[in-house]
Amino acid sequence: MPDGSSLGGSRSSSRRRGPRELGYAISSLRQELAPRTLLASVQECWARTVGEPVSEQAVPVSERGGTITVWSRSSVWASELSMLSDALVERLNRSLGEERRVRGLKFKVGPLER
């Protein structure tokens, strides 16, 4: 071609990537926009750390001085989770890594808005 462009030429510096999955994009955006607080970190890892049965019945809602307040669906769940509190704190701290530490969990009955 007289203008110097070619159909088969390589464009190594301007290679276009294929589209990424929507889930990946949403996850990346969520991580960028999430506040950098202990509560946000606990909320992010809660379901995978405590398991689905617990996460369906209880959600972390606030934090003060390293103690996370968790609202549960019923007083029975609040009582059961209180007895498991030490084990849950240990699992959460393993999930969070060294930069964030949960000191304790406090369970109350409250709405489970997500």
Side-chain angles (χ1 to χ4, degrees), residues 85-98:
S85 183
D86 291 341
L88 292 173
V89 167
E90 185 178 318
R91 288 169 62 185
L92 284 167
N93 284 333
R94 265 188 274 140
S95 290
L96 294 170
E98 294 299 317

Side-chain angles (χ1 to χ4, degrees), residues 10-95:
S10 70
R11 294 188 217 173
S12 60
S13 63
S14 63
R15 259 181 113 186
R16 185 174 173 169
R17 295 183 188 183
R20 293 188 178 187
E21 292 182 23
L22 182 59
Y24 175 83
I26 291 172
S27 176
S28 296
L29 182 61
R30 230 175 129 200
Q31 288 177 358
E32 282 182 42
L33 297 177
R36 306 284 184 230
T37 64
L38 177 58
L39 177 61
S41 296
V42 169
Q43 289 171 330
E44 181 67 31
C45 74
W46 180 255
R48 74 176 177 273
T49 302
V50 301
E52 188 177 334
V54 172
S55 68
E56 288 178 351
Q57 301 297 323
V59 294
V61 294
S62 66
E63 180 268 336
R64 186 173 185 169
T67 298
I68 304 292
T69 298
V70 178
W71 281 354
S72 61
R73 191 174 301 277
S74 70
S75 59
V76 172
W77 270 99
S79 178
E80 287 292 321
L81 293 173
S82 290
M83 289 187 276
L84 297 172
S85 183
D86 291 341
L88 292 173
V89 167
E90 185 178 318
R91 288 169 62 185
L92 284 167
N93 284 333
R94 265 188 274 140
S95 290

